[in-house]
Amino acid sequence: MTARHLAKELWEAVRAASTESVVNGNLSDPNLVNYHFAAIATDHLYNPQDVLQYCAVLQDVNQDFLPLFEYEIAQLLSKVRHTSSGLDDLPYWLFQKCSFELATELSDYMPINATPILSRLAEKIFVQQWLRPALPMELLKDQYAFRPTGSTLCAVVDFIHHCTLMLENNSYIRCLFIDFSKAFDVVHHSILLSKIRIALNWIIAFLTGRSQVCKISDGRFCDPQPITSSIVQGSGIGPTLWLIMESDLHPLSDANVIFKYADDTNIAMFYNWRCMYVRYV
């Protein structure tokens, strides 16, 4: 049995054992649900000028952009997976079946406030061709999520490897496991933009002036609610923006090791009773 089948069986067992979460309130009203989640992604100290200060003057931008060809768009459309649609409510199979016909009309698409399937594709093209190549690999060496060569398996293997090495010369090790609450929803835009050096105007336009809606099972949408933080985890660019946001999170001591998988962060620290010396995080 392959690792993929084992993982699938594991998650099926987890879902079967999990109980339904209970949310106080009337879930038949999508506005109540949306108010709750919009409040999480709202920064009450938000000042648009703090974000707009990072805009670049266009005549001073000297950036060579690679051309985007229709066959590249057609290839992306044909590989769209079974996924939820955005506010446009267009089903995923429409893009799969009509990838060639649609590709000739999509060369100039840019992301919009909502993140429907077409917007996600445009964002992924931006990430693959411009944003990710501009990121120094040294900043992402301890991050195993949202990367072509990253996986949970790689993260676990590296974690066990370093723990084993530490135990060779130390009595025991201490591991600190951190899961940031609502990590993607509370990202401060000004802090994020201070860490980015490419296509700032494009990213600022994507992040600012956003609103969100909630859709319930009967197809009804709620009223839009503005949000002033968040990097939209379900978008094509959001995961990469999170990698940038967390890229400068490192242990103070070189003897300690940090491992990241998306917003899950683990730190391994050794302790040797013989010298009674603890390395600080």
Side-chain angles (χ1 to χ4, degrees):
M1 184 175 291
T2 64
R4 178 175 296 181
H5 287 92
L6 289 173
K8 182 178 180 180
E9 288 189 358
L10 172 63
W11 285 112
E12 287 178 349
V14 170
R15 283 191 288 268
S18 300
T19 58
E20 284 191 27
S21 60
V22 179
V23 180
N24 294 328
N26 183 8
L27 291 182
S28 64
D29 185 356
N31 285 297
L32 294 178
V33 180
N34 195 41
Y35 290 153
H36 171 76
F37 289 105
I40 296 174
T42 299
D43 179 5
H44 297 290
L45 300 178
Y46 178 79
N47 183 356
Q49 295 304 317
D50 293 339
V51 175
L52 296 177
Q53 66 176 322
Y54 292 97
C55 285
V57 180
L58 293 181
Q59 57 263 30
D60 293 339
V61 175
N62 184 17
Q63 178 69 46
D64 295 327
F65 291 104
L66 298 175
L68 183 62
F69 299 101
E70 293 177 357
Y71 77 88
E72 296 178 276
I73 299 178
Q75 187 178 41
L76 287 171
L77 289 172
S78 66
K79 295 181 179 179
V80 170
R81 298 181 180 181
H82 188 175
T83 182
S84 59
S85 59
L87 188 60
D88 56 16
D89 218 20
L90 297 176
Y92 76 97
W93 54 261
L94 173 66
F95 305 101
Q96 286 183 340
K97 302 298 183 182
C98 306
S99 59
F100 178 78
E101 292 80 4
L102 290 172
T104 58
E105 304 294 335
L106 298 181
S107 298
D108 296 326
Y109 261 66
M110 293 294 289
I112 55 178
N113 278 347
T115 53
I117 294 175
L118 290 183
S119 178
R120 276 174 257 167
L121 289 178
E123 296 157 25
K124 288 179 179 178
I125 292 172
F126 170 74
V127 168
Q128 293 170 1
Q129 296 197 11
W130 296 294
L131 186 55
R132 189 177 292 155
L135 300 179
M137 293 305 298
E138 183 69 16
L139 292 179
L140 305 179
K141 64 179 182 180
D142 51 15
Q143 174 64 257
Y144 291 91
F146 311 133
R147 296 174 55 186
T149 57
S151 67
T152 53
L153 178 60
C154 291
V156 172
V157 169
D158 195 26
F159 179 77
I160 294 176
H161 169 69
H162 280 84
C163 290
T164 303
L165 290 179
M166 288 182 175
L167 287 172
E168 290 181 356
N169 300 308
N170 299 278
S171 305
Y172 61 89
I173 63 173
R174 294 171 174 173
C175 296
L176 177 63
F177 298 91
I178 304 170
D179 185 5
F180 294 104
S181 176
K182 307 295 182 183
F184 289 79
D185 296 327
V186 296
V187 169
H188 196 286
H189 292 167
S190 297
I191 297 176
L192 171 64
L193 293 170
S194 67
K195 304 178 183 182
I196 299 175
R197 296 293 180 267
I198 181 175
L200 278 169
N201 289 8
W202 193 97
I203 297 174
I204 290 172
F206 176 83
L207 293 174
T208 56
R210 300 195 66 88
S211 60
Q212 69 176 32
V213 297
C214 179
K215 178 183 178 182
I216 59 177
S217 58
D218 61 5
R220 287 185 294 143
F221 285 95
C222 69
D223 300 327
Q225 288 293 318
I227 56 176
T228 53
S229 59
S230 172
I231 51 176
V232 192
Q233 184 174 3
S235 64
I237 190 177
T240 303
L241 293 180
W242 171 256
L243 297 188
I244 298 173
M245 185 67 181
E246 201 189 27
S247 62
D248 56 357
L249 178 61
H250 302 296
L252 295 179
S253 171
D254 294 335
N256 301 326
V257 187
I258 191 170
F259 309 86
K260 306 171 190 171
Y261 191 87
D263 57 339
D264 294 321
T265 303
N266 307 322
I267 303 175
M269 303 163 282
F270 74 80
Y271 176 79
N272 193 324
W273 66 269
R274 293 183 179 88
C275 61
M276 297 299 291
Y277 179 71
V278 178
R279 295 277 187 169
Y280 293 101
V281 176

